[in-house]
Amino acid sequence: MKRYDVAIIGAGAAGMMCAVEAARRGRRVLVIEHAKKPGEKIRISGGGRCNFTNLYANDGITQGTGGYLSENPRFCVSALKRYTPQDFIAKIEAHGIAWHEKTLGQLFCDGPATQIVDMFVSEMREAGVDLRLSTTASDIERTADAEAGGFTLMAGDERIACSSLVIATGGKSIPKMGATGFAFEVAKKFGLPIIEPRPALVPLTFEPGFLEQTKALSGVAIDARVSCGKRHFDEAVLFTHRGLSGPAILQISSYWREGEAITLDMAPGTDVFEHLRAARSQSGKQAVQTALATILPKSLAQAIAARTAANAQLGALSDKALRDIANAVNAWTVKPVGTEGYRTAEVTLGGVDTRALDGKTMEARDVPGLHFIGEAVDVTGWLGGYNFQWAWASGVACGAIVRTLSGRIQ
């Protein structure tokens, strides 16, 4: 039976970061990945350019303005403070990977996302990590000396032993890439509670009546403010044949719950009522859709005019009628019926309950040597590099403090 200090299941962002950190500290590390290649989510992220972090990823944890969702929002603070976006920028720059800021602090590679994957593969090789691809992990058991930490498991058809076991298999999002609930199954096996997982950063779907009203808008994108409860996001919204998507919708989907409505301001910063009143006073014969088309895409202006005032001229409309039209733009309230699910969700909300984990080491409090990192944990970031920053930070936190074969934490 082969023995390792650390066995990491999952060669994604968090798993590979953890492997490098642990191996550089003298640990004998095994990484088990069921896919044919490591880092598949890294490869497809950011349209193939990898939105690897966000300049503001740590601001919300210190200022209380958000950035991460969790039943215990303070849990992620320790790891994120110890490994910052600037730390990861320094890492990729040391490998000669060029990058740029796109918008709202979002950082992307100038070249393909595979540069990030290649960087980790190279670092793991140099540090002596044993990477096994196309290999399934199963039959995980604690050793007899469980109090000191220690596990055995099958890596393909070989049984191996390790002092520390790290679960870095992510959540259920994008199953076509091999995503499963493996991490949650392991957590349940060892008695760790789970915050109910659900798709997050995902398009919202609507009932047939809504889709009939908006079918001509499929493919139209606008800048908007989208609100749900007390949370709002100012980014792009995209009309689709299933409902609504785009960055603002993906962001609000993490906060939306079934039965709730969302509100869209499709002309943020513009008082549409005053805009229409001014247009009416200047040209009462002007059609509603013509006036709206000066601040909205033409097809959207036509759809709103048809829904609220047909083809009426502005001069024929009262202030109340103009107010109704304005509300259809500045405060359009709609009720989604669901989401597109894990098939298109960028991340999984919920996961291993952080109350069962040590925020400094990611170790299960009641199961010595068992760690959970990355998306498997109930920490979910905003769109735009936040989730990768959590992967890097939680991977470093875990990799820096894992047990050796003697059971010692170094």
Side-chain angles (χ1 to χ4, degrees):
M1 183 186 300
K2 279 194 176 181
R3 298 181 178 274
Y4 295 86
D5 291 320
V6 189
I8 301 169
I9 305 176
M16 291 193 292
M17 177 66 95
C18 181
V20 170
E21 294 297 315
R24 284 178 173 174
R25 287 166 171 78
R27 310 299 194 273
R28 188 180 181 192
V29 180
L30 168 68
V31 177
I32 305 168
E33 170 58 51
H34 71 157
K36 295 179 180 179
K37 296 180 180 180
E40 282 296 87
K41 265 198 173 182
I42 296 175
R43 180 183 62 80
I44 69 166
S45 68
R49 298 285 182 176
C50 188
N51 180 194
F52 56 83
T53 193
N54 192 294
L55 291 175
Y56 310 119
N58 281 20
D59 290 0
I61 65 172
T62 56
Q63 300 172 10
T65 55
Y68 295 91
L69 292 79
S70 174
E71 291 291 308
N72 175 18
R74 297 295 300 172
F75 176 83
C76 63
V77 173
S78 175
L80 289 168
K81 280 188 173 181
R82 284 180 287 146
Y83 195 84
T84 67
Q86 288 68 34
D87 291 323
F88 194 77
I89 291 170
K91 182 180 183 72
I92 66 168
E93 287 183 340
H95 284 262
I97 298 174
W99 57 274
H100 63 278
E101 180 182 356
K102 189 172 182 181
T103 183
L104 300 175
Q106 300 170 16
L107 304 189
F108 292 77
C109 297
D110 287 355
T114 50
Q115 294 175 104
I116 302 289
V117 180
D118 292 343
M119 173 187 75
F120 279 114
V121 171
S122 175
E123 288 188 341
M124 287 191 293
R125 184 185 304 115
E126 292 173 2
V129 173
D130 183 356
L131 173 61
R132 299 192 192 181
L133 301 173
S134 300
T135 302
T136 301
S138 62
D139 195 20
I140 301 170
E141 299 292 344
R142 296 181 76 180
T143 60
D145 188 16
E147 290 304 315
F151 302 84
T152 64
L153 64 150
M154 294 299 295
D157 57 4
E158 180 184 8
R159 180 159 288 279
I160 63 101
C162 60
S163 185
S164 291
L165 177 63
V166 180
I167 309 301
T169 54
K172 297 181 178 181
S173 59
I174 317 184
K176 71 178 181 180
M177 297 189 64
T180 69
F182 179 86
F184 310 142
E185 294 169 9
V186 175
K188 291 176 181 177
K189 176 183 176 68
F190 290 101
L192 277 67
I194 302 293
I195 302 300
E196 183 180 3
R198 60 182 290 124
L201 300 182
V202 62
L204 298 174
T205 58
F206 292 81
E207 47 83 26
F210 174 94
L211 299 180
E212 180 63 26
Q213 289 183 1
T214 61
K215 65 180 181 180
L217 300 175
S218 184
V220 172
I222 56 170
D223 289 329
R225 168 170 288 193
V226 181
S227 307
C228 183
K230 295 181 179 180
R231 178 64 63 181
H232 70 265
F233 291 95
D234 297 318
E235 293 188 70
V237 169
L238 174 68
F239 289 87
T240 75
H241 65 285
R242 291 189 179 92
L244 297 174
S245 187
I249 294 297
L250 300 189
Q251 294 277 41
I252 211 68
S253 73
S254 296
Y255 294 87
W256 174 81
R257 293 296 179 269
E258 287 77 3
E260 295 180 340
I262 63 172
T263 299
L264 289 79
D265 181 350
M266 295 182 286
T270 299
D271 185 329
V272 176
F273 173 66
E274 291 300 331
H275 173 79
L276 293 175
R277 284 187 66 191
R280 183 180 63 184
S281 67
Q282 293 170 7
S283 178
K285 293 184 178 180
Q286 186 177 122
V288 169
Q289 69 180 52
T290 302
L292 290 177
T294 62
I295 56 174
L296 297 172
K298 183 178 179 180
S299 57
L300 179 58
Q302 291 174 337
I304 292 172
R307 180 160 53 88
T308 58
N311 294 315
Q313 295 179 342
L314 289 172
L317 299 175
S318 66
D319 279 2
K320 181 180 182 304
L322 294 186
R323 181 76 68 183
D324 290 341
I325 298 168
N327 286 338
V329 179
N330 286 141
W332 184 35
T333 299
V334 293
K335 185 177 288 188
V337 296
T339 75
E340 291 191 4
Y342 290 117
R343 181 182 64 83
T344 58
E346 297 202 10
V347 293
T348 299
L349 189 69
V352 178
D353 194 333
T354 59
R355 291 172 295 184
L357 304 176
D358 185 316
K360 293 183 177 180
T361 65
M362 306 294 121
E363 186 176 28
R365 297 183 185 279
D366 297 330
V367 189
L370 179 62
H371 303 250
F372 291 84
I373 59 176
E375 190 181 343
V377 179
D378 176 34
V379 175
T380 304
W382 285 355
L383 186 72
Y386 288 78
N387 287 291
F388 273 129
Q389 187 58 38
W390 168 244
W392 315 138
S394 61
V396 168
C398 179
I401 309 176
V402 287
R403 298 169 186 268
T404 63
L405 282 171
S406 65
R408 291 181 295 120
I409 297 179
Q410 299 180 349

